Every structure is written in C-alpha cells, then in structure tokens.
C-alpha cells in the first residue's frame, strides 16, 4: 500500500507558510484533517502558484491509501518544502528520539518499526483491531525533528487519536468520547469533493447477484469510487437531500467512512413522517427491504456491538456509540411502530436490545428470520431476499413479533406450561400425598406454595411436619432443607430417625417394651438423613434473617435438588425492620419474599408461626388470625393449617391429633376441613384413625 509522500507531510508539519507540491496537495489536506489542530501552531496554505483548480481536502480514506493524482508538480527541495537541513551530530539525537518514540508508542500498543519521518503506512489499530475485517486503519505521522508522533484510526467505529513526544510526557489514547460532542464541527461535503462516480457494470452486476435492482440503486443514489485500480461502492448518507457523509464498501467486504462527519441513519429521508419504521443493520439490507416493498427503512451506520452494555443508559450527549440515533431523534419520535430487523447473530440481537432500550420497547417489534437450512437461519434481510425472494421477506416483516418487555407477557408465552399441566407431564399437578388417607382429602403438597402452620405450644407442630416430610420422602423421594432453630441437631436427628426406622432411638422409659434400633439400622438411618435433609443453621450466636435463610435455601435447591423448605419458627428469626415500618408491613413484605422464592424455585415452604397469648382459652384449636404479628399470615399464605392435640382424657384419647385445614387457595389440591390422626409417642409417627370414635369428643372439648 503506497504511503503518503514525504514532502507533503514535511510542509504540513513544519512551521511557516510554505508551499506544498501540487501533486501532493490532496494528501497533505487529508493528513491535516486528522492531525489535531491544537498541535499545529502554524498555518498551512494548500495552494500552489502553478495550480488554480480546487483543492480536495475531504478525500475518502481509500484515496489517502491508494490514489495518486496525475497533475504536474513542483520539484521538492529542502528550501521549498520548509524544513531544515540536518547538521552534523543530528543523526545521534534523531536516533535517540526515534528510540524513545518507539518505546512510548509500544506502551499504547502501536508497533511501528520503521518510524520514518513523513511516511505514513497503514497499521493495525490496537484499540479496534480493525474490526471484523481487520482493516489496517491506523496512520502514524513522525515529525521531521523525530520528537513527535501523531496517529489517528480512520475506522468510523473507533476514531482513536493520540500523540507521544520523545522528550516530554506521553499524551495518548484520546477518543471522540473525550471531545465535547455538542461543540464538534462537521465539515460539509459534496459528491464532487468525494469524487463519486456513476455506477459501472461491475457494481450493478454485484448488486444483481444480491437481488438488488438497478432502479433501487438509482433511487438511492448509490455511487462508486476508484481506489487505485480497485472500485468501492459508495453509500451516500443524506438528510433533507443534502449529503452529510458517505460510507464505502469494497468487494472484499471492507468498510470505511468519511472521518469527522455527523453520524445519521442511512436512508433517513425515507422515514420522514413515517408511522412505521424498519431498522436494519446494513445498507444492503435497507436496499433489500425496498425490493420487498418497504421504503420506510433505515440502516444503522456503524454496525452492532459485541454485547448488550451493562448498567443504566447514559445521557444522550455521552451515548457516543448511538449518537446517530439521537441525531435523528425527531424522525423517530413520529413513529408509532419500530420494527427491528437486525442480524440474527449475537451482535445483531445485542444491537436490537440496545435500540429498543433507547426507543422504548412498548413500540418496538422484532422479526424472526426463517431457516436457511436444518441447522442455520437466514442472517439478515438480504439473505432472505436471495434465498426466498421479496415475497418471503415481506412476510417476515408482516409477521414481526412484539418486542418482549420484562414482566409483561401474553398467555401464549405460557401455553407450554398449560399443556404440561393439562397432561400432568410432571406428575405433581394435583400435589403430592401427605401419606395420610384422611388428610389427602383436604390437603396435598404442591411445589411452589407456602403453607403456614400454627397451634398452641406443645401441640406437636414440629413433630407433625417431620412426620409429613418422612412420608413425602418415602413416597416421592423429595429432599428438604431444614431451618429449625428450636431443635438441637442431635435431637432433631433422633426424631427423624425414629419416624423413619419406626423404633425408639434409646432404650428408655418412653419406648416401653419396644426394641431399640440397632447399630446397623442407625448407620443406614444416618445415610438416609444425609441424603434427604440439608440443615440451615447459624454457626454463631446470631439469629438468622429471612434473607439469609432464603439465600442458603436457594443454594440447597440448586446444589442438592431440594423440593421443600421448613422454617420453624417465625419468632426465632432476626426481624430487623426500619423504625418507620410497622410489624404488619414487615410481615407482609417477608411473606411476599418467601412466596417469590417458593414460586421461582418450585419449592414448597412450611412456615411455623406461634399464636399470640390466648385470653380465656378453653382448650380448643386456635384460629389462624390468632397468629402473633399480623393477619397477613392467613391472608398471604396458600395453605393455612392448625395442629391441635387433645389434653383432656375426659373428652378423648390423649394421642388424638386434630389437623385443621383452615385455608386452601388452590381447590385442585384440597379444601377446608378437619382430619384426625393418632400420635405414636414411642416412634413419633402419626397414623390414620377411625374419626368417628374421637371426632365428637375432641370437637366437644373445643
């Protein structure tokens, strides 16, 4: 690739008003466009006494790289080029300065071995790496005194600029983000200055292969430009018919744009006063949409980001990557529907999300590209046009889907769940059995629900929950997380083992004549304990908060496949609430948090809460509204159960337990009513009994 000639750069960078050779005036003007003005403490007159024609100081990037103007020239000498002749001893100084420049440029990632003053070869930009096509877009200029290096990346999406000085501090890495975008001045250009030409047969044939007609090319004023012996396609960017910028593409799919031009949508005039707007990712996609009958389409100028940015949106003046969107804000404000037809790949979908965030997802739609093969979908609009034709592309646009908004759904988004529910695919759509015949008619355990359990002290609430868990594990192999603050671990283990093995743990009086479990049974029981239950416990003397419990329960669900969580009891939690929050408000917030956890992780939660101190208690079961703290315990739970044990031998057997189902939100899994069980004090088991023998006596005692 030819470099920018030495003489033009020398005259440009050295002080004084020197004449520049006419044949290099265009090169020098192009360099002047990217050399920071604050570094040039001199004026440059791009004029020669031998040339009276216009000076093209807005040449496109390809002409800086390839083009040589065939005009007469003035011989370049030290005198008319405007630089001093080297003196003896300067070479040593120059070599030291070059070494310093190389070191400092290497620190910012620029590898430029030659460092020849006045030469400007194209290098790979260390910031953008030349984009997806790895184009060499970085130009470095070395000053004649070897004390200054200046560079600029001409890729429109990068624009990295900087400088280093051999004998002063480095000042590098400036980008357009560092500039005041409101104060930035964009130069006006014309087709004549850009040396755009009418399309030749080669370019027309190239578009014909892509199903783009000559009429579409004519209407969109597509041009071409010569880059040495090569030809590049020129896409003029216009606003109200005025040329604002131009983007180029060669046949090897390398892109570049005019530097320092305002960023706008391509095809902007086509969406003026449009209520529906289509946004695509490339100029050829915009032309493809026109072939399908859609002129109300624009293309983004700079391609797609690698991924969606994190964090909130920045202010418009700081949103440099999407400045083209804010520059065209008045055109998009009039649109009621915006169809995002970006590429099907990851960056294309990231672009759609970024645009939707800024435009408002409520008025955005997105296309669904058809399959190109069994394992691949069409990437963009032009691929659909090539493979299936304009009618298929039109159908893609007509079938655009509403852009998803987080938290806003249609029932169709959940039809797969409705179907699975209807066909009982998962097996627990009607809940899982409690293991007690009498209770299954009233209460079944459904994943994702919250059951609040209460009862007066020493009614057997915790014992009943343990027995319920043992039954569910035996029948359905569920695993559980236990946050039981009132139980020592060894005591809790004993109770669970006695229910599982159906023998007493100790050879003690409570066991009567029943044989104690053997060592072998104990070892088998320990393995069952370890496989079935996971403990959530504070290892210090602090009380656990509900957030802490749910965070560990989440880990248990994800790590061990836990399906049930027990929190026993409410009053053993650390209830830290703001001074301005009432207990009722706190309980409501806490229960909402527990229910969200249960639903999100499809985990059933049993929450034990004691009743407040009962006045004039007659021995009957308490009401769910008697729970200490708030009526929200009954209002917000899915199921409410009262466990009540008979304490008066005169009114019924002392082993009788009344399970009062006081609330069932989901009629599929149960209904309100009472079930009666007998409690085996030796093993801690609960068993079905003949309700007719005791129901009247226990109820009469209440």
């Amino acid at each position: 690739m030819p470099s920018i000639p030495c003489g033009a750069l020398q005259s440009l960078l050295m002080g004084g008003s020197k004449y520049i050779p006419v044949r290099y005036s265009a090169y020098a003007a192009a360099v002047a466009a990217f050399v920071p003005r604050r570094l040039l403490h001199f004026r440059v007159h791009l004029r020669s006494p031998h040339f009276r024609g216009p000076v093209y100081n807005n040449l496109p990037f390809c002409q800086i790289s390839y083009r040589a103007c065939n005009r007469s020239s003035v011989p370049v000498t030290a005198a008319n080029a405007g630089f001093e002749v080297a003196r003896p001893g300067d070479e040593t100084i120059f070599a030291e300065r070059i070494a310093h420049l190389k070191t400092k440029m290497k620190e910012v990632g620029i590898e430029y071995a030659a460092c020849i003053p006045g030469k400007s070869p194209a290098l790979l930009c260390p910031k953008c790496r030349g984009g997806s096509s790895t184009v060499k877009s970085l130009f470095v200029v070395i000053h004649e005194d070897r004390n200054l290096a200046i560079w600029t990346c001409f890729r429109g999406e990068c624009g990295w600029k900087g400088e280093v000085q051999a004998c002063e501090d480095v000042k590098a890495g400036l980008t357009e983000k560092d500039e005041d975008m409101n104060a930035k001045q964009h130069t006006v250009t014309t087709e004549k200055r850009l040396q755009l030409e009418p399309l030749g047969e080669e370019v027309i044939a190239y578009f014909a292969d892509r199903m783009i007609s000559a009429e579409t090319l004519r209407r969109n004023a597509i041009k071409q430009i010569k880059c040495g012996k090569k030809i590049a396609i020129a896409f003029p960017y216009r606003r109200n018919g005025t040329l604002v910028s131009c983007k180029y593409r060669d046949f090897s799919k390398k892109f570049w744009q005019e530097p320092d031009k305002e960023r706008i949508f391509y095809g902007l005039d086509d969406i003026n006063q449009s209520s529906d707007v289509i946004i695509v990712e490339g100029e050829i996609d915009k032309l493809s949409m026109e072939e399908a009958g859609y002129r109300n389409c624009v293309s983004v100028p700079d391609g797609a980001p690698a991924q969606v940015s994190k964090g909130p949106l920045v202010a418009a003046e700081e949103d440099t990557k999407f400045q083209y969107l804010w520059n065209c804000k008045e055109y998009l404000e009039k649109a009621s529907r915006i169809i995002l037809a970006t590429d099907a790949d990851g960056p294309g979908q990231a672009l759609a999300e970024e645009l939707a965030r800024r435009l408002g997802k409520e008025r955005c739609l997105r296309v669904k590209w058809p399959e190109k093969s069994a394992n691949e979908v069409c990437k963009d609009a032009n691929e659909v046009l090539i493979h299936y034709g304009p009618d298929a592309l039109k159908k893609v646009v007509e079938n655009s889907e509403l852009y998803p908004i987080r938290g806003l759904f249609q029932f169709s988004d959940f039809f797969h769940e409705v179907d699975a529910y209807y066909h009982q695919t998962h097996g627990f759509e009607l809940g899982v059995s409690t293991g007690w015949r009498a209770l299954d008619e009233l209460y079944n355990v459904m994943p994702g629900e919250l059951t609040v359990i209460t009862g007066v002290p020493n009614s057997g609430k915790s014992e009943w929950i343990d027995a319920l868990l043992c039954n569910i594990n035996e029948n359905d192999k569920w695993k559980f997380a236990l946050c039981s603050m009132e139980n020592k671990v060894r005591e809790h283990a004993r109770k669970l083992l006695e229910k599982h093995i159906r023998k007493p743990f100790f050879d003690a009086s409570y066991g009567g004549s029943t044989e104690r479990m053997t060592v072998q049974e104990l070892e088998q029981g320990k393995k069952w304990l370890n496989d079935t239950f996971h403990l959530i416990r504070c290892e210090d003397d602090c009380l656990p908060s509900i957030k802490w419990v749910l965070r560990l329960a989440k880990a248990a669900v994800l790590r061990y496949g836990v399906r049930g969580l027990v929190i026993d009891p409410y009053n053993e939690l650390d209830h830290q609430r703001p001074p301005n929050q009432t207990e009722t408000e706190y309980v409501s917030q806490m229960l909402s948090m527990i229910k969200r956890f249960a639903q999100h992780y499809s985990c059933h939660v049993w929450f034990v809460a004691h009743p407040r101190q009962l006045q004039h208690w007659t021995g009957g079961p308490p009401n769910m509204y008697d729970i200490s703290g708030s009526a929200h315990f009954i209002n917000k739970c899915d199921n409410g159960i009262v466990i009540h044990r008979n304490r008066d031998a005169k009114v019924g057997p002392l082993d009788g337990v009344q399970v009062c189902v006081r609330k069932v939100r989901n009629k599929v899994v149960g209904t309100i009513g009472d079930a009666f069980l007998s409690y085996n004090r030796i093993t801690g088991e609960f068993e079905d009994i003949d309700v007719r023998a005791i129901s009247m006596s226990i109820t009469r005692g209440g």
Side-chain angles (χ1 to χ4, degrees):
M1 181 183 295
S3 302
I4 297 177
C6 177
L9 295 176
Q10 291 166 341
S11 294
L12 175 65
L13 293 174
M14 295 304 296
S17 299
K18 303 296 180 182
Y19 291 122
I20 295 177
V22 173
R23 66 178 298 185
Y24 301 138
S25 61
Y27 292 107
V31 175
F34 76 82
V35 173
R37 294 295 181 183
R38 56 189 170 75
L39 299 179
L40 302 180
H41 303 291
F42 54 87
R43 297 174 62 194
V44 179
H45 296 273
L46 299 177
R47 185 172 61 85
S48 167
H50 303 279
F51 181 63
R52 294 292 181 262
V55 175
Y56 298 101
N57 58 0
N58 286 303
L59 291 179
F61 171 72
C62 64
Q63 291 181 289
I64 299 176
S65 304
Y66 298 107
R67 195 169 176 82
C69 303
N70 295 319
R71 297 194 180 99
S72 60
S73 63
V74 178
V76 180
T77 65
N80 65 21
F83 59 90
E84 298 179 2
V85 179
R87 296 183 298 274
D90 283 354
E91 291 303 324
T92 302
I93 298 174
F94 288 167
E96 291 177 354
R97 291 178 179 177
I98 289 293
H100 284 303
L101 289 179
K102 287 183 178 180
T103 299
K104 292 184 176 183
M105 285 192 291
K106 191 172 183 179
E107 289 176 356
V108 294
I110 300 176
E111 299 284 352
Y112 183 19
C115 281
I116 301 174
K119 297 291 184 181
S120 184
L123 306 174
L124 189 65
C125 176
K127 295 297 182 183
C128 67
R129 310 301 299 176
S132 58
S133 57
T134 64
V135 63
K136 293 182 177 181
S137 55
L138 185 74
F139 283 79
V140 181
V141 177
I142 306 296
H143 197 281
E144 275 303 322
D145 64 4
R146 280 76 162 177
N147 194 46
L148 176 67
I150 305 168
W151 63 83
T152 290
C153 176
F154 276 93
R155 280 192 73 244
E157 298 180 18
C158 181
W160 184 51
K161 300 177 182 180
E163 62 178 84
V164 291
Q165 296 186 38
C167 301
E168 294 184 12
D169 294 336
V170 176
K171 188 174 184 180
L174 299 177
T175 66
E176 291 190 8
K177 293 182 179 180
D178 302 314
E179 301 177 11
D180 185 349
M181 300 188 65
N182 294 325
K184 185 175 180 178
Q185 300 297 319
H186 302 286
T187 56
V188 179
T189 190
T190 64
E191 290 188 12
K192 185 176 181 181
R193 285 187 175 183
L194 299 181
Q195 298 186 359
L196 303 184
E197 301 175 353
L199 293 180
E201 293 299 324
E202 183 181 5
V203 176
I204 294 175
Y206 171 83
F207 278 106
D209 290 340
R210 290 176 167 267
M211 304 292 289
I212 308 296
S213 66
E215 172 58 26
T216 298
L217 299 178
R218 183 200 62 77
R219 198 194 74 83
N220 288 274
I222 307 300
K223 303 293 182 181
Q224 70 179 36
I225 189 169
K226 291 182 180 179
C227 301
K229 296 181 180 180
K230 298 182 179 181
I231 292 176
I233 304 167
F235 298 96
Y237 279 62
R238 301 178 186 275
R239 179 195 275 122
N240 298 324
T242 302
L243 185 62
V244 174
S245 183
C246 196
K247 186 174 178 180
Y248 308 95
R249 169 187 175 136
D250 64 17
F251 295 125
S252 61
K253 206 175 178 181
K254 292 183 179 178
F255 299 88
W256 63 94
Q257 300 186 41
E258 287 297 316
D260 296 329
K261 296 296 186 291
E262 183 185 11
R263 290 286 187 267
I264 61 172
F265 281 108
Y266 175 68
L268 184 62
D269 288 347
D270 287 339
I271 65 168
N272 192 16
Q273 303 298 327
S274 293
S275 59
D276 286 3
V277 172
I278 303 172
I279 300 179
V280 295
E281 195 174 324
E283 292 81 6
I284 293 181
D285 291 327
K286 185 262 189 294
L287 303 179
S288 300
M289 285 293 182
E290 185 162 327
E291 293 294 336
Y294 296 105
R295 289 187 178 180
N296 55 325
C297 177
V298 292
S299 169
V300 301
D302 296 329
Q307 59 186 11
V308 179
S309 59
K310 298 179 181 179
L313 294 177
V314 298
E317 59 272 12
E318 300 175 4
D319 197 10
T320 55
K321 174 64 180 175
F322 295 90
Q323 198 60 41
Y324 60 85
L325 191 151
W326 303 112
N327 292 339
C328 306
K329 182 180 178 181
E330 66 275 12
Y331 289 79
L332 297 169
E333 285 178 338
K334 303 170 185 176
S336 57
R337 296 199 320 158
I338 299 175
I339 301 172
L340 303 177
T342 55
D343 289 2
D345 56 13
Q349 296 307 298
L351 174 61
E353 177 66 17
E354 292 287 10
L355 291 172
R357 293 172 70 193
R358 291 162 174 81
L359 296 169
K361 293 182 180 180
E362 66 280 356
R363 60 174 177 155
C364 289
L365 297 89
R366 64 179 180 182
V367 300
K368 184 177 182 180
W369 299 118
E371 292 183 353
K372 186 169 64 174
S373 64
N375 302 318
E376 191 177 5
V377 299
C378 290
K379 178 176 178 289
D380 52 30
N382 189 242
E383 279 200 0
V384 176
L385 181 65
I386 292 173
H387 285 83
Y388 299 109
D391 290 339
L393 180 55
K394 184 177 182 180
K395 188 175 180 180
V396 168
V397 176
E398 290 175 347
N399 294 334
S400 298
E401 303 172 346
L402 295 172
Y403 200 89
I405 299 176
R406 185 177 182 181
L408 182 62
F409 304 96
Q410 293 180 292
F411 264 108
S412 58
D413 297 325
F414 299 93
F415 279 169
H416 63 288
E417 293 187 20
V418 175
D419 292 338
Y421 191 34
Y422 177 81
H423 295 290
Q424 300 183 37
T425 304
H426 300 298
F428 49 74
E429 286 74 13
L430 301 180
V432 298
S433 170
T434 63
W436 297 297
R437 184 181 61 258
L439 188 56
D440 282 345
E441 297 177 2
L442 307 175
Y443 172 69
N444 287 269
V445 179
M446 177 70 75
E449 290 189 348
L450 167 63
T451 296
V452 172
I453 299 171
T454 190
V456 297
N458 203 30
S459 292
K461 299 182 293 294
S462 299
E463 287 276 7
W464 179 81
I465 291 176
D466 286 348
L468 174 64
L469 304 187
C470 290
N471 290 349
I472 295 175
N473 173 259
E474 182 177 358
N475 297 329
D476 296 280
K477 307 305 179 186
W478 278 25
K479 297 180 179 180
F480 307 93
L482 305 177
C483 182
S484 183
M485 283 78 75
E486 289 185 333
N487 278 315
K488 294 181 180 179
V489 173
R490 63 181 187 180
E491 290 297 321
H492 205 171
R494 174 185 62 77
K495 295 175 183 179
L496 291 168
L497 287 171
E498 288 178 339
K499 292 175 177 61
H500 177 66
I501 300 173
R502 295 181 172 87
K503 291 183 179 180
F505 189 84
F506 290 116
D507 186 10
S509 59
Y510 76 89
S513 60
T514 305
E515 183 182 353
R516 177 190 188 187
M517 66 181 69
T518 65
V519 174
Q520 183 179 2
E521 290 171 333
L522 173 63
E523 293 302 321
Q524 293 174 349
K526 284 161 58 178
K527 184 180 185 306
W528 169 79
L529 276 179
N530 203 54
D531 293 341
T532 306
F533 301 99
H534 303 276
L535 305 178
I536 297 176
R537 301 184 67 86
C538 277
E539 297 181 352
D540 49 31
D541 58 354
C542 296
L543 292 176
S545 68
I546 191 62
K547 290 183 179 179
W548 182 84
V549 171
L550 294 180
R551 185 170 65 250
L552 292 178
K554 171 185 173 182
V557 170
L558 299 178
R559 176 173 290 187
Y560 302 115
V562 161
R563 302 302 301 272
L565 167 66
V566 176
I567 304 175
D568 180 13
Y570 162 73
N571 62 308
E572 289 289 337
L573 292 173
D574 182 14
H575 303 297
Q576 295 182 356
R577 67 176 192 265
N580 59 344
Q581 186 181 44
T582 66
E583 185 176 14
T584 298
E585 293 170 339
Y586 168 77
V587 170
S588 175
Q589 186 181 64
M590 176 191 65
L591 293 174
S592 295
M593 195 182 306
I594 295 173
K595 289 187 67 175
R596 283 197 300 269
F597 165 82
Q599 293 170 3
H600 186 76
Y601 294 102
S602 191
C603 178
H604 195 101
V605 180
W606 292 273
F607 195 14
V608 178
H610 296 310
R612 61 178 178 267
Q613 187 174 359
L614 301 177
Q615 302 292 334
H616 311 295
W617 180 51
T618 60
N623 193 287
M624 292 292 294
Y625 285 101
D626 292 327
I627 297 176
S628 177
S630 172
H632 282 304
F633 281 105
I634 181 63
N635 295 336
K636 303 198 75 166
C637 69
D638 297 297
N639 309 287
I641 294 178
V642 178
I643 302 297
H644 184 65
R645 181 173 62 84
N646 179 40
R647 290 169 168 78
D648 189 351
K650 295 180 181 179
V651 297
L654 296 178
D655 63 352
V657 176
Q658 184 178 359
V659 181
C660 310
V661 180
R662 292 293 177 256
K663 179 181 180 181
V664 177
R665 190 187 301 276
N666 183 0
K667 67 180 182 181
V668 172
V669 299
T671 186
I672 294 174
D674 293 348
F676 297 91
L677 306 174
S678 66
Y679 174 65
N680 186 332
R681 188 170 182 273
I682 296 175
T683 63
E685 296 176 274
F686 289 76
E687 301 169 347
D688 282 301
I689 59 173
D690 184 2
V691 298
R692 289 174 298 179
I694 64 169
S695 60
M696 292 302 297
S697 60
I698 292 183
T699 304
R700 186 167 56 252

